[in-house]
Amino acid sequence: MQHLVDTNDLSDSQIRQLLDDTARFKQQMPSQLLRDKLLITLFFEPSTRTRSSFEVAAKRLGASVVHLDPSRSSTNKGESLEDTFANLCAMEPDGVIIRHSDNQTPGLLADMEMTSVINAGAGNYAHPTQALLDLFTMREHFGGDVAGKTIAIVGDIVSSRVASSGIRLFRRMGMNVLLVAPEQFMPQSDLPQFERLEDVLDKADVIMSLRAQLERHAKPLFDDYAEYARHYCITKERLADRDTLLLHPGPVMRNIDISDEMLSDPRCKVLEQVKNGVYMRMAILKLLLLDA
Ligand code: CP
């Protein structure tokens, strides 16, 4: 049984296989590879992209999906998460896709070895499927290898599981990673750190903008996000005519993270990331439920 708690659960050859399968599925939709498979989604935090993308991916492959809404589940009557999970596993799903505010939860459930656990986002620690789809989007854009390319991650890095998983995966793939943030949003890291966005614009092949993760701030870190945007919003004036790939995992805070104008600029691939997310999650489900 294989889990996906973070990308370090995957070997190099499995990552290569995921990238190849994603490209293949994008060229031609596969047949019902996962008919007879059953997945359960369990999202303790809100989601638009990840949850619907997993459901679309599973259904495109012929699998069935059951969603348990935690706000209406027996966890609200005092049942522990482990017991809820064990009861779901008694229904013999082939995998459980979980999002939780706690960094450790997907790993703890995976260690119970009852079904394949797929992390759909845990605290500020890991969002492996986002990192993989972002890697695919960059490889597609550059026509292959990303080794030696430079990505600048801009925004609330300290609170971001997208940044955490991305940094681990992109470094593993040989990319240079630069961190750009005000001190409130900057994590402890051995990576190059910049407070001024202007200082990385000529170095970056890719800019990944992140929203402020307000739900993870114990107290407000910024009084005024208009002031934040004045320094960190990706605008056409800032990017000028540079040939930079612009990514954002979503949800985008318009005109704080990225300007309206840049969101419709061809260099911005936010919706392409979402499209690629379906194909990457199809590849992930195939790997975990069929191949592993
Ligand atoms: N990128 C991402 O995780 O988006 P959702 O929160 O909408 O799933």
Side-chain angles (χ1 to χ4, degrees):
M1 182 183 306
Q2 183 161 359
H3 309 286
L4 181 56
V5 174
D6 196 17
T7 52
N8 51 16
D9 290 324
L10 300 169
S11 65
D12 290 347
S13 69
Q14 285 180 321
I15 292 176
R16 276 195 299 276
Q17 183 187 332
L18 286 177
L19 294 167
D20 289 348
D21 280 346
T22 304
R24 213 155 41 82
F25 293 164
K26 197 170 178 179
Q27 289 269 313
Q28 188 174 8
M29 200 61 81
S31 58
Q32 308 269 295
L33 283 177
L34 296 185
R35 63 179 166 276
D36 305 329
K37 301 288 185 192
L38 171 66
L39 289 154
I40 298 180
T41 58
L42 190 53
F43 277 61
F44 287 87
E45 287 191 335
S47 169
T48 295
R49 281 145 289 269
T50 312
R51 182 185 152 192
S52 47
S53 163
F54 262 119
E55 290 189 17
V56 170
K59 287 177 181 177
R60 293 251 191 254
L61 291 171
S64 305
V65 183
V66 170
H67 177 67
L68 178 68
D69 176 359
S71 69
R72 297 183 166 273
S73 78
S74 291
T75 50
N76 278 348
K77 294 189 265 182
E79 187 172 56
S80 73
L81 177 60
E82 288 85 348
D83 283 340
T84 299
F85 178 71
N87 278 271
L88 293 176
C89 290
M91 300 174 204
E92 302 185 315
D94 297 283
V96 168
I97 299 165
I98 181 158
R99 169 169 287 191
H100 203 280
S101 59
D102 182 73
N103 287 1
Q104 310 304 329
T105 293
L108 291 175
L109 300 183
D111 287 345
M112 291 168 71
E113 291 294 343
M114 298 185 79
T115 193
S116 184
V117 172
I118 303 172
N119 179 2
N124 69 352
Y125 166 62
H127 195 347
T129 64
Q130 181 73 43
L132 287 159
L133 77 88
D134 290 339
L135 174 63
F136 178 83
T137 304
M138 289 188 283
R139 281 177 54 95
E140 186 176 54
H141 177 79
F142 292 117
D145 204 2
V146 293
K149 300 286 184 197
T150 297
I151 181 169
I153 302 181
V154 180
D156 185 5
I157 304 167
V158 72
S159 309
S160 171
R161 53 193 172 215
V162 174
S164 307
S165 273
I167 288 168
R168 287 189 285 275
L169 183 63
F170 307 154
R171 291 180 94 177
R172 181 173 168 187
M173 295 295 127
M175 294 186 76
N176 308 308
V177 182
L178 312 178
L179 307 182
V180 185
E183 64 171 343
Q184 299 96 312
F185 288 171
M186 189 66 86
Q188 295 256 324
S189 173
D190 60 352
L191 289 167
Q193 303 187 359
F194 299 83
E195 196 162 346
R196 283 166 37 88
L197 181 55
E198 281 68 21
D199 291 343
V200 303
L201 291 174
D202 286 326
K203 304 183 204 300
D205 301 294
V206 185
I207 291 178
M208 176 182 283
S209 170
L210 301 172
R211 85 183 159 95
Q213 315 267 304
L214 302 181
E215 69 275 25
R216 274 180 240 297
H217 300 167
K219 58 181 174 49
L221 295 183
F222 252 91
D223 294 335
D224 179 2
Y225 278 91
E227 177 62 13
Y228 168 85
R230 224 164 55 74
H231 297 283
Y232 296 99
C233 185
I234 312 298
T235 61
K236 216 154 189 166
E237 296 75 58
R238 280 211 161 95
L239 215 53
D241 58 0
R242 293 179 182 87
D243 183 22
T244 313
L245 172 63
L246 177 57
L247 303 179
H248 192 300
V252 178
M253 299 296 107
R254 280 178 174 266
N255 301 310
I256 295 177
D257 306 339
I258 301 177
S259 68
D260 284 341
E261 198 181 16
M262 270 316 296
L263 279 167
S264 51
D265 187 284
R267 289 169 289 182
C268 179
K269 299 293 180 194
V270 169
L271 294 181
E272 196 65 23
Q273 287 171 271
V274 176
K275 179 186 284 192
N276 289 339
V278 172
Y279 298 113
M280 175 52 78
R281 291 183 174 108
M282 289 167 68
I284 289 165
L285 294 176
K286 171 179 172 283
L287 177 76
L288 297 182
L289 305 190
L290 269 192
D291 303 335

